[in-house]
Amino acid sequence: MIDFHCHLDLFPSPSEAIDEIERSGIYALSVTTTPKAFPKTAMLAHRRKRIRTALGLHPQLAHERHGEVGMFVRLLGETDYVGEIGLDGGDEFAEHLAVQKDVLDRILRACSDVGGRIMSIHSRHASAEVLDALGRHPGSGVPVLHWFSGPPAHAERAVEMGAWFSVGLPMLRSRRAAALVARLPRDRVLTETDAPFASTVGSQYPTPALKEALARLAGLWGTDDATTWRCLNNNLRTLTGTVKATYAAAR
Ligand SMILES: [Zn+2]
């Protein structure tokens, strides 16, 4: 199974979560919320073949952590993955949208400068603004829109721009969100948990939520679990392969 957006460093016991990921053979993208958290979080996944660590600066923290953009740029050479980055236009964070946009633009510019990255992107109540920012930095890499909750027209625009989507159980349980997922191209979809913020019951890594997400995706697509898994697995290979090809020259 694939968990393309989880916060391993924020579990009460990251090592237990990682052991469970290993045991279940899950491919995981471990995202971070601040550049400062990256080195330690990357160490957690040291020698774990199926876990990659992404360098992030969460939009909900941008107004407090914009001083860490320089550190972000310095660390960017250490990973092929960026996240969690993006914009959050929800009521509690809308007042900070200007600083969020500035941070995101600087991050996307830095990604372009190093030839592009695979980017896990938050776009809550700000999907149009996120797509505008990606449009300003077409060389920044491949965006993977995590828990996308924008309108269908924005999803279509994102697909046209080459974006991917990571979808989790809360999305697939919502009738409206599931209808949107059903319309996405199957070769641009991955699964995620966003654990421990979502999908989790208690403090354990939520393997059952990932299984259920896969089964629900199979239901939406009218395929069986094995076929769905093969599709997701191929997608992951394509995504990682494409970006390697794109920025191999820049390294
Ligand atoms: Zn997240």
Side-chain angles (χ1 to χ4, degrees), residues 87-192:
L87 299 174
D88 192 311
D91 287 345
E92 326 86 284
F93 302 101
E95 60 175 308
H96 304 302
L97 259 177
V99 63
Q100 289 183 42
K101 284 181 184 168
D102 177 60
V103 165
L104 182 60
D105 268 315
R106 289 160 70 196
I107 286 174
L108 294 175
R109 194 173 308 125
C111 289
S112 299
D113 289 346
V114 295
R117 289 293 183 264
I118 298 177
M119 306 176 290
S120 184
I121 301 185
H122 175 115
S123 57
R124 178 177 167 255
H125 296 303
S127 47
E129 291 86 344
V130 163
L131 297 178
D132 289 346
L134 290 169
R136 285 193 293 276
H137 303 278
S140 56
V142 184
V144 182
L145 299 170
H146 128 75
W147 201 332
F148 184 81
S149 57
H154 294 181
E156 267 168 44
R157 188 179 155 208
V159 170
E160 279 165 25
M161 291 172 72
W164 289 56
F165 299 81
S166 58
V167 305
L169 189 53
M171 248 183 118
L172 292 160
R173 275 182 176 162
S174 140
R175 191 176 290 197
R176 193 185 69 91
L180 186 136
V181 172
R183 291 172 52 177
L184 298 174
R186 289 180 196 183
D187 57 0
R188 299 273 191 86
V189 172
L190 296 168
T191 44
E192 66 162 42

Side-chain angles (χ1 to χ4, degrees), residues 5-7 9-10 31-37 54-66 68-69 72 82-89 92-93 96 99-101 103-104 107 120-124 146-147 194 197:
H5 185 111
C6 57
H7 297 263
D9 60 332
L10 302 179
V31 300
T32 52
T33 54
T34 68
K36 261 188 189 150
L55 170 65
L57 205 167
H58 199 291
Q60 294 176 350
L61 301 174
H63 60 290
E64 292 167 353
R65 302 296 194 121
H66 52 89
E68 289 180 42
V69 173
F72 186 103
V82 158
E84 181 165 1
I85 59 167
L87 299 174
D88 192 311
E92 326 86 284
F93 302 101
H96 304 302
V99 63
Q100 289 183 42
K101 284 181 184 168
V103 165
L104 182 60
I107 286 174
S120 184
I121 301 185
H122 175 115
S123 57
R124 178 177 167 255
H146 128 75
W147 201 332
D194 204 12
F197 298 121

